[in-house]
Amino acid sequence: STKLREYTFDNSVITFTYHMITMNALRSTSRFVFKTRQFPLRKTTRCINSSALIVTNDVTTTTTIINSTSSTSTNKMPPKETLQFGKTFAPHMLIISYTNNQWQNPEIVPYGPLSISPGSSCLNYGMTCFEGMKAYRSLAPDDSSLRLFRPDKNMERLSSSMERLSLPGYDFDPNELIQCIQKLIRIDQDWVPSGEGYSLYLRPNVIAMSDNLGLANPDSLLLYVVTSPVGPYYKDGFKPVRLLCESKFVRAYKGGTGNCKIGGNYAPTMKPAKEAAEKGYHQVLWLWGDEVTEVGAMNVFFVFERTNKDGTSVKEIVTPPLDRGDILPGVTRSSIIELAHGWKGYDMVERNLTMEEVAQAVNDGTLVEAFGAGTAAVVTPIECIQYQGKDLEIPATGKATQRAWDELLSIQYGKMDHPWSVK
């Protein structure tokens, strides 16, 4: 046993002196031993401070002209019907630098190019991570408030991605960053389009800025948030998609970074996605061996018709688990799982499943529907999966798919009072 005797504090180091009682089991005797240990105190200046947010260059108006050489530059949001996903940017952005072992004061500045050294870690070693979020304009009667959907989950995942890349400052206060993002949205509130399927897409990025070609942990970062008014992710809206099983390429491995939202996960998927599109398929369905993992930009769900021992039927909703670490823990995914656990007549299950099982269920008619889920498209019905050279036709759009879509949109647009919708 131990008992604290005294402690002293000097120059960010605390020293404990305590005595330890040790017992000699053979002789039944005891003696006191004095021990001393030192612990460096962790600094508290690493947090993001929303109260220190600086708004520069008179960006409180919506008439600032963007000096940008990429995408659409305008001082007024285009008609929402003409919006293409991620190609129009709102006038302002949030930037927060991390230097000298602490986050600097946040700033909201006009949208524009960044100054990055050619020797920076983000350009040479891909040390970047990001998030995808949306701000919605409420569609509830007599309510035009702006809302975020579960922003705490995005902050949690961003922190996890940063830690996996060994980026400092990953232990930021999520609420402080959310408040900074909310301020950015309020400044550009005229760029939040109204209507179901429309929103202001938010892209927080963290990039390593260390000017060093050596392969080392970075000591400086830039966290920035840009926003983009968007309409439905797919031009056809809430309509089924066709998937191509990818057996030649692999998206992620166990022990890799598949469960993080980092830039390096996405660049290698462009070639398979292009090849799938050339064959007439919308996205790739990634496999691990024969096991289903996820779709190109979405998590995936399958709905099977099962018969219980007593002869009654139940629908089993299945999505692959996260325990292997090769699947992104999607915010929409976790939301559907939580909602579906409360649906009568459905069993929500996280388990491994193979494409052989899916193909057999298609053949015997027990696979009744399938859908993808992600921030960009929310919920997308799946009508076909090409597997081993054969198109497996799947009924679409099913009741579970429609219910997930309806309930999520009701929450996101404030039509349903729910704690996930944050004003």
Side-chain angles (χ1 to χ4, degrees):
S1 64
T2 63
K3 183 176 182 180
L4 180 66
R5 188 165 183 262
E6 65 180 4
Y7 66 92
T8 59
F9 173 76
D10 180 54
N11 194 27
S12 298
V13 174
I14 190 167
T15 301
F16 291 98
T17 301
Y18 57 94
H19 62 254
M20 177 181 293
I21 304 174
T22 62
M23 177 69 73
N24 187 315
L26 294 177
R27 299 179 181 178
S28 298
T29 60
S30 62
R31 63 190 179 94
F32 290 95
V33 180
F34 289 93
K35 298 283 187 179
T36 299
R37 297 187 65 185
Q38 291 185 327
F39 300 90
L41 292 183
R42 181 178 176 181
K43 295 183 178 180
T44 60
T45 54
R46 293 165 60 88
C47 67
I48 294 172
N49 185 4
S50 63
S51 63
L53 177 65
I54 301 170
V55 180
T56 62
N57 296 343
D58 190 26
V59 298
T60 56
T61 70
T62 57
T63 57
T64 302
I65 297 177
I66 307 172
N67 295 315
S68 172
T69 57
S70 63
S71 299
T72 302
S73 298
T74 179
N75 65 340
K76 184 179 180 181
M77 186 178 74
K80 66 180 185 180
E81 295 78 12
T82 67
L83 294 172
Q84 299 183 57
F85 191 90
K87 292 192 174 182
T88 301
F89 292 92
H92 311 111
M93 61 183 183
L94 169 70
I95 59 173
I96 314 174
S97 296
Y98 183 94
T99 57
N100 300 321
N101 200 39
Q102 63 181 336
W103 290 102
Q104 306 303 312
N105 290 341
E107 296 183 72
I108 292 177
V109 300
Y111 176 89
L114 301 173
S115 178
I116 303 176
S117 166
S120 63
S121 303
C122 63
L123 297 180
N124 287 276
Y125 302 115
M127 301 193 74
T128 69
C129 57
F130 64 96
E131 271 303 315
M133 309 166 59
K134 286 181 177 178
Y136 304 86
R137 191 175 296 278
S138 175
L139 296 179
D142 302 319
D143 181 11
S144 60
S145 62
L146 303 179
R147 298 166 176 265
L148 294 172
F149 180 72
R150 308 192 77 176
D152 57 313
K153 302 290 285 185
N154 294 99
M155 299 300 102
E156 177 184 337
R157 191 170 61 185
L158 180 62
S159 175
S160 177
S161 298
M162 291 176 64
E163 184 178 17
R164 179 61 179 84
L165 292 180
S166 194
L167 300 182
Y170 69 87
D171 52 350
F172 61 86
D173 185 331
N175 293 323
E176 294 293 317
L177 181 52
I178 291 172
Q179 290 182 45
C180 292
I181 293 174
Q182 289 175 320
K183 176 64 175 179
L184 176 65
I185 296 169
R186 286 194 293 270
I187 287 176
D188 279 342
Q189 59 183 299
D190 290 345
W191 288 71
V192 185
S194 180
E196 188 172 289
Y198 293 90
S199 59
L200 184 67
Y201 185 80
L202 315 173
R203 173 55 63 88
N205 286 272
V206 180
I207 60 177
M209 298 289 283
S210 296
D211 192 10
N212 178 10
L213 291 180
L215 188 58
N217 293 334
D219 56 13
S220 64
L221 311 171
L222 179 65
L223 188 162
Y224 66 94
V225 183
V226 296
T227 68
S228 174
V230 297
Y233 186 74
Y234 295 108
K235 294 180 180 179
D236 296 332
F238 186 64
K239 291 186 178 180
V241 296
R242 302 170 64 83
L243 306 180
L244 173 66
C245 283
E246 180 54 62
S247 56
K248 179 180 178 182
F249 300 100
V250 177
R251 174 189 170 273
Y253 287 83
K254 181 179 181 180
T257 58
N259 59 346
C260 302
K261 206 167 179 67
I262 64 175
N265 286 350
Y266 292 83
T269 69
M270 301 300 180
K271 177 180 171 63
K274 180 182 178 182
E275 293 177 354
E278 291 172 348
K279 297 176 182 178
Y281 298 91
H282 294 89
Q283 290 195 39
V284 167
L285 177 60
W286 295 101
L287 304 179
W288 174 260
D290 195 55
E291 290 185 3
V292 173
T293 61
E294 63 179 77
V295 184
M298 302 180 290
N299 295 112
V300 65
F301 293 78
F302 295 89
V303 185
F304 299 92
E305 187 80 49
R306 305 296 192 198
T307 302
N308 295 323
K309 293 181 179 179
D310 60 2
T312 60
S313 62
V314 64
K315 289 184 172 63
E316 180 189 42
I317 305 175
V318 179
T319 193
L322 304 177
D323 54 352
R324 195 164 52 210
D326 60 339
I327 296 176
L328 188 71
V331 177
T332 310
R333 173 190 181 276
S334 65
S335 301
I336 291 174
I337 291 173
E338 292 181 50
L339 291 172
H341 275 303
W343 294 353
K344 186 177 180 180
Y346 289 91
D347 285 340
M348 180 67 238
V349 180
E350 295 178 72
R351 66 170 176 84
N352 293 316
L353 74 160
T354 65
M355 273 306 303
E356 183 179 359
E357 177 186 350
V358 172
Q360 181 61 44
V362 170
N363 293 333
D364 62 26
T366 56
L367 180 64
V368 295
E369 58 182 300
F371 59 92
T375 297
V378 189
V379 174
T380 302
I382 298 170
E383 67 177 0
C384 173
I385 301 176
Q386 198 254 46
Y387 174 62
Q388 295 183 344
K390 180 182 178 180
D391 283 345
L392 304 176
E393 303 295 338
I394 302 172
T397 298
K399 292 182 179 179
T401 307
Q402 188 68 54
R403 184 169 182 177
W405 168 270
D406 291 340
E407 291 190 12
L408 284 172
L409 262 64
S410 292
I411 296 171
Q412 291 169 344
Y413 287 97
K415 293 185 288 185
M416 177 192 300
D417 188 23
H418 200 285
W420 291 349
S421 182
V422 180
K423 290 186 179 182

